[in-house]
Amino acid sequence: MSFESEMSKGSFVIPQCSTCQKWVWPPTDYCNACFGKISLKKGDFQGRVIEFSRQNDDYFCMVEIENSFRIMAKMSDKPKIDQIVKISKCGIEDGNYYFEIN
Amino acid sequence: MKRVAIAAYGITPFSKDDKKIESILFESTKNLLENNPKIEKNEIDTVLVSTNNNSKYLSPILSESIGIQPKIAHSIENLCNSGTNSIVSAYSYIAAGLADIVLVSGAERYDSPGQILEWDNSRGEFKHPIFWASIFTSSYKRKFGISDEELAMVSVKNHSQAQNNPNAISKKTYSVEDVMNSKKITDDLKLLDCSQSCTGGASIILASENIIKKITDQPIWISGVGQKTISAGFTKNNSFNSMESTKIASQTALHMAHKEIHDIDVAEVHDAFSVCEPMALEAIGMANHGEGTKMVKELYETKNLMINPRGGLIGCGHPLGATGIAQTIEITQQLQSRARNRQVENPNTGLVHNMSAAATSSTILVLEK
Ligand SMILES: [Zn+2]
């Protein structure tokens, strides 16, 4: 099981260091603090919208996941700053990650 | 540590031309050597090439094409601040005594692969620079209560200033209304808020103190160098309405030069998008937080050219690997009083701000007569 194989299946998991427990983002094979091995943590993670803009009909948001790291994700409804969101869809297309939130 | 000065420069017009990267490198180098007959090309002992182009071995290629055999020759890539990174490398070779005369040549094509950092997957499908620029703009407007019209003034000023620069890609002036009515890219960005990727080359020669007098009567000294990398990924920026790497690099460079920010008479700042100019002015300490656009408006209304006299990235175009070198050439010309109809009155000290990928890294140079 790797982060990208989970992402390809539409499942968002958080890479965590098996040694120091730090969440490591973006996903790599080893912890960037202690070089410990990474394991993948499943869960129902929360995000918070910290900034956003819009292109055509889609909003694109800077989302902070579990007060830890950030991703950019698409949202169809107009977001509010500090709105709590969940990742509703994710995956990899042509080598690029994509995330949708609601 | 040996002192290092800028001795000569050469530049090409910035355009959308479809040219080979090797030809662009050659063109600005040829321009430099033809305009500086005191430089004996065989005395160039180092050649550094700055580009994001994927072609390999460009520095030996440039060296061979101008008929020299330098000791040191290699490329340097660091996205949009490749140019000043190359100048800092040249500075370091000379300061350390490893080289005496270094040619730094930057070049890019309009279709540069350096526009998008594929690695940064945290941005999901939003990898094009317009998305970080929109997040910066949205955050800056929200934090400081700034309007789109106030930001549009950056584009108005820099297009206007570019009309005094024959090498700039912009051949037109625009009003705030024109900027506001230009094509909407996102809710926070219009087409005229953006610099455009383009084809262009810029070359510079740096030399050590013991050689400089032989090749120029007007050396411009690099007295301060500051650099800072925060991250590679855009989402790791602590703030989206300020430039942390620029602030730190600026403090380092001014400290090294024994200067305060009010000693700076002329500056080139990295206005990749409108919002970047006020953010840069605030980060280097020329404006208080949230007051960068006020300064831009005052400069425009008083016809004060001290910020981005050549027209900045928005007015000149942005050939990534050449930009930092072109900015440094502009400040050099200003300090030599050779900037013609865009000359700032009698400047003694200038500053260059060049950054990459949403200010995840920055370089600041302080230059003096
Ligand atoms: Zn660890």
Side-chain angles (χ1 to χ4, degrees), chain B residues 150-161:
Chain B
E150 286 170 290
L151 288 169
M153 186 56 84
V154 174
S155 178
V156 171
K157 173 177 82 66
N158 291 347
H159 277 286
S160 165
Q161 290 174 186

Side-chain angles (χ1 to χ4, degrees), chain A residues 4 25-26 32 50-55 59-62 70-74 81 95-99, chain B residues 118-119 121-127 130-131 134 138-139 142 185-188 234-237 240:
Chain A
E4 293 202 350
W25 187 264
N32 64 354
I50 58 174
E51 196 48 76
F52 66 89
S53 183
R54 182 174 66 163
Q55 187 182 45
Y59 290 90
F60 50 95
C61 309
M62 182 65 70
R70 291 124 174 207
I71 59 170
M72 284 179 74
K74 190 158 88 180
I81 296 294
N96 294 317
Y97 297 180
Y98 65 87
F99 306 97
Chain B
E118 294 294 349
W119 171 88
N121 269 321
S122 300
R123 294 177 296 175
E125 64 207 90
F126 304 106
K127 283 184 174 172
I130 60 165
F131 297 110
S134 297
S138 178
S139 178
R142 189 187 312 284
I185 307 292
T186 68
D187 276 7
D188 294 289
F234 169 51
T235 62
K236 295 284 177 80
N237 268 345
F240 300 107

Side-chain angles (χ1 to χ4, degrees), chain B residues 113-349:
Chain B
Q115 294 172 71
I116 291 175
L117 179 61
E118 294 294 349
W119 171 88
D120 193 7
N121 269 321
S122 300
R123 294 177 296 175
E125 64 207 90
F126 304 106
K127 283 184 174 172
H128 193 280
I130 60 165
F131 297 110
W132 70 251
S134 297
I135 293 291
F136 264 18
T137 306
S138 178
S139 178
Y140 187 81
K141 289 193 301 188
R142 189 187 312 284
K143 170 88 176 173
F144 299 113
I146 300 295
S147 68
D148 288 323
E149 287 82 356
E150 286 170 290
L151 288 169
M153 186 56 84
V154 174
S155 178
V156 171
K157 173 177 82 66
N158 291 347
H159 277 286
S160 165
Q161 290 174 186
Q163 304 317 304
N164 296 324
N165 175 2
N167 293 317
I169 200 167
S170 170
K171 304 297 178 198
K172 260 185 92 175
T173 58
Y174 298 94
S175 64
V176 167
E177 203 180 14
D178 292 333
V179 179
M180 296 300 294
N181 291 332
S182 63
K183 188 182 173 199
K184 184 174 167 175
I185 307 292
T186 68
D187 276 7
D188 294 289
L189 217 56
K190 311 286 193 299
L191 184 64
L192 286 171
D193 286 312
C194 311
S195 62
Q196 41 181 325
S197 194
C198 70
T199 300
S203 293
I204 204 162
I205 287 218
L206 271 61
S208 62
E209 193 167 15
N210 46 333
I211 288 201
I212 194 89
K213 294 275 154 59
K214 282 193 267 177
I215 55 181
T216 179
D217 304 328
Q218 283 190 296
I220 298 302
W221 301 97
I222 300 178
S223 60
V225 174
Q227 297 192 287
K228 182 65 186 176
T229 295
I230 300 293
S231 61
F234 169 51
T235 62
K236 295 284 177 80
N237 268 345
N238 285 329
S239 156
F240 300 107
N241 50 57
S242 64
M243 293 176 173
E244 188 186 0
S245 66
T246 298
K247 186 176 176 184
I248 295 167
S250 179
Q251 288 166 347
T252 306
L254 289 167
H255 181 258
M256 177 175 164
H258 306 290
K259 295 285 175 191
E260 305 284 339
I261 192 65
H262 58 75
D263 295 321
I264 302 299
D265 303 309
V266 59
E268 282 285 322
V269 301
H270 194 104
D271 60 325
F273 297 91
S274 290
V275 74
C276 298
E277 183 159 313
M279 282 172 72
L281 293 172
E282 293 164 26
I284 64 180
M286 281 194 171
N288 291 328
H289 287 301
E291 294 183 2
T293 55
K294 201 170 123 190
M295 178 176 174
V296 169
K297 185 166 186 272
E298 278 170 16
L299 292 171
Y300 179 70
E301 287 174 351
T302 57
K303 297 189 166 55
N304 183 336
L305 302 177
M306 74 170 288
I307 303 297
N308 286 333
R310 73 185 180 114
L313 280 63
I314 289 178
C316 289
H318 182 23
L320 281 64
T323 284
I325 299 166
Q327 292 177 304
T328 306
I329 291 173
E330 177 66 20
I331 298 303
T332 302
Q333 289 181 312
Q334 290 284 345
L335 296 175
Q336 292 175 331
S337 294
R338 285 184 182 174
R340 299 187 182 159
N341 53 350
R342 56 180 195 278
Q343 182 65 47
V344 171
E345 202 184 328
N346 196 29
N348 290 306
T349 309

